Amino acid sequence: MTSPTDHVEIRPGAYADSVTLLQVSRDVAATPGVVAAQVAMATPLNVEVLGSMGFAVPDCSPNDLVVALRLADPDGLEAARGAVDAALAAARAGRADRSTAVAPPRTTRTSLPASGTQAVLALVSVPGAHAFVEAIDALDAGCDVMVFSDNVSLEQEVALKQVAVDRGLLVMGPDCGTAAIGGVGLGFANTVRPGPVGIVAASGTGCQQVMCLLEAAGVGVGAALGVGGRDLSTEVGAISTRTALLRLDSDPAIERVLVVSKPPAPEVATALEEYAASLATPIDLALLGPGQPDLTSAVEGLLGRLGVPVPSWPSCGHPATETAGSLLRGLFVGGTLCDEAMLIATEALGPIRSNIPLEPELALDASLTADGHLMVDFGDDSLTRGRAHPMIDPTVRLDHLARAAADPRTGVVLLDVVLGHGAEADPAAALAPAIAACGPPVVVACVGTESDPQVLSRQAAALAAAGAEVHLSNAAAVRRAVAILGGRR
């Protein structure tokens, strides 16, 4: 039930993109007398989040804007509404300032000559329903394509990649979150030194974990080509992985290549291993799955083959030794980090429930809750439709973190914090108060480097000061969480 200090209003037909509305919400939340503020498009997911926060949202459509305000005093309503109007007006003014007298190109293909350069790569980042058209347009213009968009159908992905192969081009994605080409990071990319390792990744955060561990070991990355998390599925058959391997195999600066992937289809993994053996450049495979090495172990093996000593992976904070609860609650922004965590924890704790389960019978329902151990990937397509990725907008994960903290059955909360270009400017600022208020121990995998905009050591120190135990290695963080539980099933 909405309290006397809550105000919810619907603005029919008003629109702003999710990143703009995230900033508007933050500006309004900083207004004196405002306890909480959410300004968002009224998508089903956003309405559900508002409901979980205690707001009563009237009937509305995804084309409407919903303004939800929680106030310390009802008399502050007009000031809060004024703050909403001011923040929205500032966002519109910002867009107007960026306008020019010359109308911008209306299609991807016409924009390429207008850029004044001989473009060889187009990055597509539009709502998933429109990504196929833009990607085909870029391929028609002779460009490789990085499809950052998610919620693109499997059939469209296969079609795009087959067109690319026919034309000698590369499609990275859909849902390709990370790449580094020619020394330039694309998407959620970490800042690392150049070097002899090439990466092909059917995994965004898995690629970031590998890059950051290599950076910590003093080894640089010459190129990182993302191919999308479904590339090693039966349906796609590693089409882009093979093209990416050929590209790196022909690069004289690349001495070794590491292929990183979420759990692949077995027959595709077997075929890929045979293909990799046919190339001149040594290829290492880090394909997650039951009984397979985790990403940290894969990097350690690669370092050994490069003749580089394996360092002690950084960690900080005060390790917890015991807990009253018995359940593991893993709340992730990175799908591959969530996959890796489930694979490791399952060996000690038994089945893990999830929205991206290792087995279909372990799937969570829409409530994302369960009586047993669970791990949630908040970056999954089903949770990002109509809103920004959780590496940008932490709202949904923070809500579930508060629920986990209030549940006496929770024994350990396991989180990932992924730094880099494109990610939240200061993720620890939002997480630290929630961690400090959390009764059960909190273990964090903080994936990043000292050269990232957020600065790894600064973020880790803030999280540790709030009470978390922080690790650079996701695998190490998971094992610490399991150890705190005493391996209880």
Side-chain angles (χ1 to χ4, degrees), residues 50 60 71 146 185 236 238 280 283 299 316 319 335 391 407 415 458 469:
L50 289 166
C60 50
L71 308 170
M146 174 176 171
V236 184
I283 311 294
V299 169
C316 63
M391 285 169 61
D407 186 344
L415 305 172
R458 190 180 302 162
E469 182 180 337

Side-chain angles (χ1 to χ4, degrees), residues 170 196-200 222-225 240-259 272 274-284:
L170 172 65
V197 175
I199 299 172
V200 177
L225 305 179
S240 288
T241 297
R242 289 170 179 253
T243 303
L245 283 173
L246 271 179
R247 296 279 182 96
L248 297 181
D249 191 43
S250 64
D251 185 343
I254 301 298
E255 297 177 13
R256 297 196 74 96
V257 177
L258 182 65
V259 179
L272 180 62
E274 294 173 356
Y275 180 74
S278 70
L279 301 175
T281 306
I283 311 294
D284 296 292

Side-chain angles (χ1 to χ4, degrees), residues 134-314:
E134 301 303 330
I136 281 288
D137 207 28
L139 290 172
D140 284 344
C143 287
D144 292 336
V145 186
M146 174 176 171
V147 183
F148 186 79
S149 311
D150 60 5
N151 286 298
V152 176
S153 73
L154 187 59
E155 293 75 16
Q156 289 178 331
E157 176 175 351
V158 172
L160 282 173
K161 290 181 173 179
Q162 287 179 337
V163 168
V165 166
D166 291 343
R167 300 178 184 182
L169 299 171
L170 172 65
V171 168
M172 298 186 287
D175 199 11
C176 177
T178 300
I181 300 173
V184 177
L186 302 171
F188 297 120
N190 300 96
T191 304
V192 300
R193 73 195 72 192
V197 175
I199 299 172
V200 177
S203 153
T205 51
C207 180
Q208 291 188 264
Q209 170 76 105
V210 167
M211 293 176 74
C212 295
L213 291 173
L214 289 172
E215 174 69 15
V219 174
V221 173
L225 305 179
V227 292
R230 298 184 300 210
D231 197 68
L232 270 63
S233 66
T234 300
E235 295 81 0
V236 184
I239 297 174
S240 288
T241 297
R242 289 170 179 253
T243 303
L245 283 173
L246 271 179
R247 296 279 182 96
L248 297 181
D249 191 43
S250 64
D251 185 343
I254 301 298
E255 297 177 13
R256 297 196 74 96
V257 177
L258 182 65
V259 179
V260 182
S261 176
K262 300 173 182 178
E267 72 278 10
V268 177
T270 300
L272 180 62
E273 188 172 4
E274 294 173 356
Y275 180 74
S278 70
L279 301 175
T281 306
I283 311 294
D284 296 292
L285 301 179
L287 310 180
L288 292 176
Q292 297 299 311
D294 57 59
L295 296 180
T296 302
S297 297
V299 169
E300 291 172 349
L302 175 62
L303 292 174
R305 287 183 279 280
L306 288 169
V308 177
V310 176
S312 296
W313 304 116

